[in-house]
Amino acid sequence: MANSYSIGNVFGIPIRVHVTLLIFLPLFAFSFMPAGGPQGLFYGALGAVGLFASVALHEIGHSLVARAKGSRILEILLLPIGGMARLNALPRRPIDEIQTALAGPAVSLALGIAGLFFAPLLFSFNPLLAVVIHELGRINIMLVLFNLIPSFPMDGGRVFRAALVPRLGRLPATQLAAKVGRGFAWLFGIWAIWPVFHGGTIRFTLLLIAYFIYQAAGAEARQAEWEALAELQRGQPSGLFDDLLRKWR
Ligand SMILES: [Zn+2]
């Protein structure tokens, strides 16, 4: 992707950082600062790096399972609003897609439990580090909960779509999941601007995430329609053919 920089390879997967993340990184470091002064800033920066390492590990979780199911991983891109694993294609069998979608939250859950477990043990040796590790543990648990909301194309939404495929067919399942995803995007958007009506400030990151989900849900639905049409034109009716017939009847 343009405007991004490679920071290395993990398991042969290129990890790239979008330029906007480099701009936001100092803000994240300030929000992590467990104390004032240069020492606080050092641990704040450590927390910010730890946050995006957590996000990268979440995406590596998705990627390794997807690769085991036959997908090719192009890159993992880190953005201020989160991470994104870019694949040549997602695994298509619903069970494979569910396992791929759950692999990211599983990694975050392990990181969250590890952070919350080790932070108290570290406290007597290095209280500032302990505070940062505890905060990272808490954020990883929140990442699990947030990602499992069935808001397609977030992880929970992918599980939701995959669970619908055997019953509805791929295209209608994607269209329904995209509608539900857009509904959640509206809810997130309202939640993001809600504080404005009570003298607060916009939850800007959440607003960006809402916008991203809204756009991405529409794009996924369009892609499913396009794939179904391509399948039809190739004259290879499959499950998708039934989906289209159902749509047109
Ligand atoms: Zn994920």
Side-chain angles (χ1 to χ4, degrees):
M1 192 172 185
N3 301 321
S4 64
Y5 300 97
S6 173
I7 53 165
N9 278 271
V10 180
F11 298 110
I13 302 164
I15 313 279
R16 298 182 73 87
V17 172
H18 196 260
V19 64
T20 50
L21 177 58
L22 301 176
I23 297 165
F24 275 86
L25 213 52
L27 288 178
F28 282 105
F30 278 118
S31 71
F32 261 100
M33 274 177 74
Q39 211 189 8
L41 194 59
F42 170 77
Y43 284 103
L46 200 66
V49 171
L51 171 64
F52 285 95
S54 300
V55 171
L57 287 167
H58 174 111
E59 297 303 327
I60 287 167
H62 287 306
S63 302
L64 291 182
V65 174
R67 188 156 74 181
K69 310 287 183 189
S71 297
R72 199 159 52 83
I73 318 300
L74 307 175
E75 63 177 17
I76 287 173
L77 181 65
L78 300 176
L79 298 152
I81 57 165
M84 196 186 288
R86 294 187 54 235
L87 311 154
N88 67 330
L90 268 177
R92 280 184 76 88
R93 278 175 55 208
I95 184 67
D96 291 345
E97 194 178 8
I98 289 174
Q99 288 174 3
T100 302
L102 291 179
V107 170
S108 298
L109 183 64
L111 290 173
I113 291 171
L116 296 180
F117 178 79
F118 284 110
L121 304 179
L122 274 172
F123 198 80
S124 54
F125 302 105
N126 187 335
L128 294 184
L129 182 63
V131 170
V132 169
I133 298 284
H134 184 272
E135 183 63 7
L136 285 172
R138 199 181 64 83
I139 290 173
N140 270 287
I141 299 292
M142 280 171 57
L143 276 178
V144 175
L145 299 177
F146 187 67
N147 274 292
L148 289 182
I149 295 172
S151 171
F152 189 74
M154 279 165 53
D155 299 335
R158 291 204 179 279
V159 173
F160 176 61
R161 190 266 298 264
L164 291 175
V165 167
R167 260 155 281 185
L168 302 179
R170 193 171 175 85
L171 182 57
T174 306
Q175 287 166 329
L176 179 58
K179 262 190 205 127
V180 173
R182 287 190 148 189
F184 273 108
W186 272 106
L187 288 179
F188 293 150
I190 292 167
W191 187 19
I193 59 169
W194 196 252
V196 174
F197 301 108
H198 299 88
T201 51
I202 287 185
R203 296 181 178 107
F204 189 65
T205 309
L206 187 63
L207 191 63
L208 273 180
I209 290 171
Y211 175 78
F212 169 78
I213 292 172
Y214 189 87
Q215 292 295 326
E220 293 265 358
R222 280 193 299 278
Q223 194 191 334
E225 279 168 27
W226 186 85
E227 279 173 8
L229 270 173
E231 198 92 17
L232 197 61
Q233 280 168 352
R234 277 202 303 272
Q236 296 169 340
S238 66
L240 291 169
F241 184 70
D242 301 332
D243 297 344
L244 268 190
L245 283 182
R246 215 170 285 150
K247 193 188 170 195
W248 284 341
R249 264 203 298 261

